[in-house]
Amino acid sequence: MENLNKKYISPLVVGLGAGVLTIVPVIKSLGCCLLIPVAAFIALMLEQKANNDFSKLAIKKGVIFGLITGLTAAIFGTTFDFIITLITHTNDLVVSFPQMVETINSFPIKEATRDEVISLLSDVVESIKSYGFSPLYTLSFLFNNLFTNSIFGMLGGIIGVQILNTRNAKK
Amino acid sequence: MQQRIRVILFLLIIIWVFGIFIEFFIPLQNNLAYLFPFFEGIYSTVCHQQLEKLININGYQTLVCSRCAGIYLGGLLSSFILLFAFKINFKNGKLILAASIPMLVDVLLYSSGFYDYTKSIAFVTGLFFGFIGIAYIYNGLQILLVRNGKSE
């Protein structure tokens, strides 16, 4: 178990860092969709530096490291967002709610559909404002993060291995 | 890489890109409005979604910024072309690093105030990066599948 922890320490640490960065507004907008792929790349790079082993990396390792980085970032990102929402009773959804309602109102759709979608959203927003928590929001946020971060992490790992192998071949 | 896998990847990328443009399809299929908040949530995890950076056509907006839309459309275009290519063979990572330079230069220049953010530049630099990026992903998957095939 200790060996396993050591083996995957870099994606876990970088994943934690990326999880924190995904909720910091300015960094989040700078990193955009490249934050998690870059994190996976850094995890691979750190692992090589820590072990002083610059031999050719296998793509499989990139996929595994990317997946672990993405999943760790998703779990920590969701946890931090959950805690902050619980304390402040507000989050991105609450802030963007008026804009979202405006957007939905602009859709040329049936009145009943529009009312239903807005009512569903306002229930979630009201729950967050009152209790700092909405089960539907938390679950969908966790699912979104797990889904996108794991995929983007793996993609970053696949590309990262190819970049690192080029760099190491020069050394 | 097997043609079947290429087709599956292409279809997955189409679904992902479709999600970006969901607002454009809602007038055609009203029930998509139920998915709108969910999709907005999914794309918010991969893009800042700043209003002034979204692509806006006839009042309908994309769910990601111009650069991200460029990256994903570039990926879609590349994956379509790769449906007809038999084998990709990137020996090193120089091309992807080169493809990321225009994007990074654009981010650096507009962030440091040399010029204002332009959606078209962001889109084109993203498109170029996405086009090359997906080819590298295919290349990596190709190597992975060949290795797995040998080990079995």
Side-chain angles (χ1 to χ4, degrees):
Chain A
M1 187 68 187
E2 200 182 321
N3 271 348
L4 202 68
N5 281 342
K6 268 188 185 171
K7 202 174 167 188
Y8 297 116
I9 191 83
S10 68
L12 292 172
V13 171
V14 179
L16 167 66
V20 175
L21 293 181
T22 52
I23 55 159
V24 179
V26 180
I27 309 270
K28 188 187 170 187
S29 38
L30 275 179
C32 209
C33 58
L34 296 177
L35 193 67
I36 301 297
V38 169
F41 173 75
I42 293 171
L44 284 163
M45 202 168 70
L46 285 181
E47 207 265 339
Q48 283 202 316
K49 281 198 172 169
N51 295 325
N52 208 17
D53 174 12
F54 298 96
S55 56
K56 199 173 177 187
L57 288 166
I59 297 284
K60 193 178 171 185
K61 188 169 189 174
V63 173
I64 294 170
F65 268 53
L67 181 65
I68 297 173
T69 309
L71 290 177
T72 313
I75 292 164
F76 282 105
T78 310
T79 309
F80 293 138
D81 184 82
F82 173 79
I83 294 168
I84 292 169
T85 307
L86 203 60
I87 297 168
T88 60
H89 287 217
T90 185
N91 59 19
D92 284 353
L93 180 69
V94 175
V95 173
S96 64
F97 179 64
Q99 172 66 38
M100 204 184 268
V101 169
E102 203 180 298
T103 307
I104 295 168
N105 277 328
S106 73
F107 293 151
I109 55 175
K110 287 177 208 148
E111 200 64 39
T113 310
R114 181 180 301 146
D115 291 346
E116 234 176 303
V117 175
I118 292 175
S119 139
L120 195 78
L121 267 172
S122 33
D123 284 349
V124 172
V125 170
E126 276 312 309
S127 176
I128 292 170
K129 279 183 179 171
S130 312
Y131 312 107
F133 171 73
S134 155
L136 185 62
Y137 171 80
T138 308
L139 277 178
S140 66
F141 192 68
L142 177 67
F143 171 77
N144 292 346
N145 277 344
L146 287 174
F147 173 71
T148 49
N149 288 0
S150 55
I151 290 176
F152 277 70
M154 286 192 284
L155 298 181
I158 291 174
I159 295 178
V161 163
Q162 294 173 75
I163 295 173
L164 284 172
N165 283 345
T166 308
R167 209 184 63 162
N168 297 337
K170 282 182 192 165
K171 285 185 179 174
Chain B
M1 190 160 58
Q2 285 175 9
Q3 189 67 11
R4 189 167 45 102
I5 298 173
R6 287 176 195 242
V7 172
I8 292 170
L9 288 173
F10 175 66
L11 292 176
L12 289 174
I13 297 172
I14 284 191
I15 294 169
W16 181 257
V17 171
F18 164 78
I20 294 169
F21 295 95
I22 193 169
E23 273 196 28
F24 298 77
F25 296 102
I26 287 174
L28 306 173
Q29 180 50 257
N30 282 197
N31 288 336
L32 286 174
Y34 290 106
L35 289 177
F36 176 72
F38 182 69
F39 272 56
E40 172 108 355
I42 285 188
Y43 291 103
S44 74
T45 58
V46 291
C47 183
H48 50 70
Q49 298 178 316
Q50 288 171 9
L51 274 178
E52 66 280 10
K53 293 180 180 175
L54 303 180
I55 297 174
N56 191 324
I57 303 167
N58 294 334
Y60 297 115
Q61 288 175 324
T62 51
L63 291 187
V64 293
C65 68
S66 305
R67 195 179 314 280
C68 289
I71 292 175
Y72 301 134
L73 282 172
L76 179 66
L77 186 65
S78 186
S79 65
F80 177 72
I81 294 169
L82 288 170
L83 280 178
F84 308 103
F86 291 101
K87 202 177 176 191
I88 325 156
N89 194 7
F90 289 125
K91 293 255 187 264
N92 56 50
K94 283 179 189 167
L95 192 58
I96 189 142
L97 289 174
S100 66
I101 290 172
M103 201 172 66
L104 296 174
V105 169
D106 180 41
V107 172
L108 276 175
L109 291 181
Y110 87 74
S111 305
S112 45
F114 278 94
Y115 55 77
D116 291 332
Y117 177 87
T118 322
K119 287 181 191 176
S120 53
I121 296 178
F123 181 81
V124 171
T125 55
L127 190 81
F128 186 51
F129 180 73
F131 187 83
I132 302 293
I134 209 79
Y136 267 88
I137 290 163
Y138 272 56
N139 189 51
L141 288 174
Q142 193 172 269
I143 298 167
L144 184 71
L145 292 172
V146 169
R147 292 263 160 85
N148 277 354
K150 276 179 185 169
S151 63
E152 273 167 13

